[in-house]
Amino acid sequence: FKTSPVAQVTIRDKPSLAVRGVLLDLAGYGRLPTLETLTCTVRSLARLKMTELHLFIRLTPQTDWQLAFLPHDLISLDRECHDRRVRVYPTLDILQPCSLQELNAYFSAFSAIVSCFGSRDKLHLGPCLSSVILSAMEQMGPTQVFSSLQGALPSGSDTSIVICSNSLTNNPRLLDNIPANVTLIEYGFQAEYPFMDNLENLSRSGCQQLVCVGTSSWGCLVGRPANMIQNILEGVAASDLCSASGVLMASWAASPALSPLASALPGWTLGLGAAWNSRVTKEEVNQHLGDILTHHIFYDQTGSSGKVLLDLGNNEASVELPS
């Protein structure tokens, strides 16, 4: 409508899922973006209606600062996200399993990270830390375990604890006794991952549920678009059908770290779009995702950079796969 009046329209729209988040692995052996690059990426993803940014952090009990990003960097990122109505959460994890009693040694390290962020309504615990808690629950019961966590986790009485549910699927005894303030998150990154079956089994707990899918951009040069598309669409569809709270799209670090941050952008873009409109089909994704990346992520008005990135990923997969 550059030369004529804008037509009168009424648009009624709402998201399929309330939580539409991105998870970035901050492992030191990965390829970390600069704060400027990460901030620019957040601005682009916020335009795609991202609601949450999760920063995956593995910690040791030492009290020294353990991240490449300094505290003032995280505070600056948190403020940038807050201005765009995006909540930032640290996803806390540990490097190796330990006992429940040994978790108290991590309190200072956990608190130093959490204090950089303004959102305290939930605390996301990574798979290794979750396994310590679930193992203790089998021996001691949930009441005693969660009361003892107050000395290890910087959380209040109103904080929802988000724990990895992958080891809970076939453990009905634990599922029936999980506290109501716990949110279960199911991690799955392969095209054929059984999201639907697992979410149905986990629903007996009565807890809120989240799903964590993947960008399929780690352990390769430029990503695996076919695996990424099926994994994300199936994770979103299962979340919608099972009334889960939403989905996170994870980009994990690999060693060696080969792919740049740009390789995660197709998965993040698709995931945020599908979480808004869960009815999107694989055919529509294959037809439009390249153009969406070109114009709305890379701001490339004359080229086809988004399609080129997807083609490079498909070419890499065609070389690697036995078929």
Side-chain angles (χ1 to χ4, degrees):
F1 300 100
K2 289 182 179 179
T3 60
S4 59
V6 177
Q8 289 189 351
V9 295
T10 300
I11 298 174
R12 294 184 178 90
D13 195 16
K14 64 178 182 179
S16 299
L17 300 172
V19 175
R20 306 176 298 281
V22 159
L23 184 148
L24 176 64
D25 191 346
L26 297 188
Y29 53 77
R31 292 181 65 175
L32 294 178
T34 64
L35 180 63
E36 181 182 6
T37 297
L38 181 54
T39 300
C40 290
T41 302
V42 164
R43 290 171 182 165
S44 295
L45 297 177
R47 294 187 187 100
L48 303 182
K49 304 297 188 291
M50 174 176 69
T51 61
E52 295 182 3
L53 173 64
H54 292 239
L55 302 176
F56 194 92
I57 302 167
R58 299 170 183 84
L59 296 168
T60 67
Q62 71 184 53
T63 55
D64 295 337
W65 188 255
Q66 302 177 45
L67 297 183
F69 291 111
L70 297 176
H72 64 81
D73 294 329
L74 298 180
I75 293 171
S76 174
L77 178 65
D78 186 63
R79 288 176 178 170
E80 186 80 29
C81 290
H82 178 270
D83 291 344
R84 286 159 177 78
R85 303 181 66 83
V86 175
R87 291 176 175 267
V88 187
Y89 298 98
T91 299
L92 303 177
D93 211 354
I94 56 180
L95 292 174
Q96 66 282 324
C98 64
S99 68
L100 186 68
Q101 291 71 29
E102 292 173 321
L103 278 184
N104 291 335
Y106 288 85
F107 183 81
S108 295
F110 289 162
S111 297
I113 298 294
V114 171
S115 64
C116 296
F117 304 101
S119 298
R120 306 291 175 84
D121 56 308
K122 60 186 174 187
L123 185 64
H124 188 174
L125 309 182
C128 195
L129 184 52
S130 296
S131 68
V132 173
I133 296 171
L134 293 175
S135 297
M137 282 176 58
E138 290 191 273
Q139 301 172 6
M140 303 162 53
T143 303
Q144 186 174 349
V145 168
F146 280 93
S147 61
S148 66
L149 285 177
Q150 296 176 359
L153 300 178
S155 60
S157 57
D158 296 331
T159 303
S160 173
I161 304 297
V162 183
I163 62 174
C164 173
S165 61
N166 290 57
S167 60
L168 276 173
T169 307
N170 298 313
N171 196 333
R173 187 173 66 85
L174 275 183
L175 278 174
D176 292 339
N177 294 283
I178 294 180
N181 71 326
V182 170
T183 297
L184 302 178
I185 182 167
E186 183 76 5
Y187 291 78
F189 310 116
Q190 297 305 319
E192 303 293 341
Y193 191 81
F195 286 113
M196 195 68 195
D197 292 342
N198 290 356
L199 291 185
E200 287 180 341
N201 290 333
L202 292 166
S203 64
R204 66 181 294 161
S205 68
C207 296
Q208 289 192 44
Q209 292 179 287
L210 288 167
V211 163
C212 186
V213 294
T215 63
S216 300
S217 60
W218 59 92
C220 56
L221 294 175
V222 275
R224 301 178 293 275
N227 184 84
M228 174 267 292
I229 291 171
Q230 185 170 346
N231 173 245
I232 290 177
L233 292 184
E234 292 191 0
V236 168
S239 300
D240 194 21
L241 289 170
C242 294
S243 299
S245 300
V247 294
L248 304 181
M249 279 63 66
S251 179
W252 298 106
S255 183
L258 302 174
S259 56
L261 180 65
S263 297
L265 291 171
W268 285 341
T269 301
L270 170 61
L272 294 173
W276 187 279
N277 175 20
S278 62
R279 298 182 301 278
V280 68
T281 65
K282 186 183 296 186
E283 291 72 24
E284 291 169 333
V285 172
N286 288 327
Q287 182 180 356
H288 298 297
L289 181 58
D291 289 336
I292 291 170
L293 291 166
T294 297
H295 296 292
H296 299 290
I297 299 298
F298 298 131
Y299 307 106
D300 176 6
Q301 300 303 317
T302 59
S304 56
S305 49
K307 187 176 185 304
V308 169
L309 181 60
L310 295 174
D311 286 346
L312 286 171
N314 286 324
N315 289 339
E316 181 184 358
S318 71
V319 172
E320 289 187 345
L321 293 174
S323 58

